[in-house]
Amino acid sequence: MSDLISYRLDDGIATLTLSNGKVNAISPEVIAAFNGALDQATQDKAIVILTGQPGILSGGYDLKVMTSGPQNAIDLVAAGSTLARRMLAHPYPIIVACPGHAVAKGAFLLLSSDYRIGVDGPYSIGLNEVQIGMTMHHVGIELARDRLRKSAFHRSVINGEMFDPQGAVDAGFFDKVVPAEQLLPTALAVAQQMKKINMNAHRNTKLKVRAALLETLDKAIELDKQHPL
């Protein structure tokens, strides 16, 4: 599929592996490759497993792009937010097999998916925007408000608190944590279980459940385009 996101289809399960340097930075090219992979997965009617390199899912947006000019930063965030909205409305389940750190946009990939599996270890999960001097964008606030537990929302968004893997389960970033060697086998087992559900019912129910969130995100995407980060 791409050097940035590989695509492997096996028995109705599409595994997407993000590979963009040591922190798996989310660049415009990565987002384009991701959208292409989701197009292919839809055509293949496949359940999606998203994973990264050992030790990391993603460290967030490409800082070279984010610091290359205000408009470039706004455009990248808009593209990433549009991807998050697409993931939330994707017609087939999206499972994330997170092999380590998931920071900023990496954590938002977790919040945009249907089932999230992390690994035990000294890994940081969360939204560090305020730590690095970035005011949280509207889409990020609304996505975190919807998907994180209420007790963790302010700690995460306003305070920039980072969580270890088990704390990330409690906060709402993960659904479960497993030993590293069990990550992909567990993700495949979840995917096999999900193959038993009716995909039309899955899609229609997902859209009903997330209707208010998707509408809110549409408005938030436009707000973020109008206001500098």
Side-chain angles (χ1 to χ4, degrees):
M1 176 65 67
S2 165
D3 291 338
L4 298 172
I5 295 186
S6 66
Y7 184 95
R8 187 180 76 250
L9 180 67
D10 183 33
D11 191 27
I13 301 169
T15 300
L16 282 55
T17 304
L18 176 60
S19 180
N20 185 29
K22 67 179 183 178
V23 299
N24 275 345
I26 306 297
S27 65
E29 295 77 16
V30 167
I31 292 172
F34 203 144
N35 277 306
L38 289 179
D39 289 342
Q40 185 63 52
T42 302
Q43 182 177 324
D44 292 332
K45 299 181 179 180
I47 292 172
V48 171
I49 295 175
L50 173 66
T51 191
Q53 303 174 57
I56 191 160
L57 178 66
S58 174
Y61 285 124
D62 189 331
L63 290 180
K64 291 181 180 177
V65 178
M66 294 295 289
T67 58
S68 65
Q71 192 59 51
N72 289 339
I74 290 170
D75 290 346
L76 178 56
V77 171
S81 296
T82 302
L83 173 63
R85 193 225 185 268
R86 177 182 185 178
M87 291 173 67
L88 287 161
H90 190 68
Y92 299 93
I94 297 178
I95 301 160
V96 178
C98 179
H101 301 292
V103 179
K105 183 58 180 177
F108 281 123
L109 292 176
L110 299 173
L111 299 183
S112 304
S113 302
D114 299 306
Y115 199 92
R116 299 79 44 86
I117 308 163
V119 295
D120 284 326
Y123 300 118
S124 293
I125 313 297
L127 308 173
N128 71 338
E129 278 79 354
V130 297
Q131 291 188 24
I132 62 174
M134 179 182 291
T135 300
M136 182 68 76
H137 56 307
H138 290 92
V139 168
I141 291 169
E142 297 304 333
L143 184 52
R145 191 196 311 276
D146 187 86
R147 300 302 305 273
L148 290 179
R149 288 184 173 83
K150 188 174 181 179
S151 61
F153 170 68
H154 289 275
R155 291 160 57 197
S156 180
V157 172
I158 297 174
N159 300 344
E161 181 175 338
M162 303 300 288
F163 299 88
D164 63 20
Q166 192 55 56
V169 174
D170 297 334
F173 287 103
F174 286 147
D175 294 295
K176 68 164 52 177
V177 170
V178 299
E181 65 273 12
Q182 294 181 18
L183 179 63
L184 287 178
T186 301
L188 287 168
V190 171
Q192 290 291 347
Q193 181 65 31
M194 285 187 171
K195 287 171 69 174
K196 298 177 182 179
I197 65 179
N198 180 286
M199 291 303 161
N200 284 331
H202 167 82
R203 179 187 69 245
N204 293 336
T205 302
K206 178 188 290 188
L207 292 176
K208 277 188 176 182
V209 168
R210 295 178 179 164
L213 173 60
L214 295 173
E215 182 178 352
T216 297
L217 292 184
D218 287 337
K219 296 175 181 176
I221 287 169
E222 294 307 313
L223 279 175
D224 286 330
K225 290 178 181 177
Q226 298 167 18
H227 299 285
L229 300 171

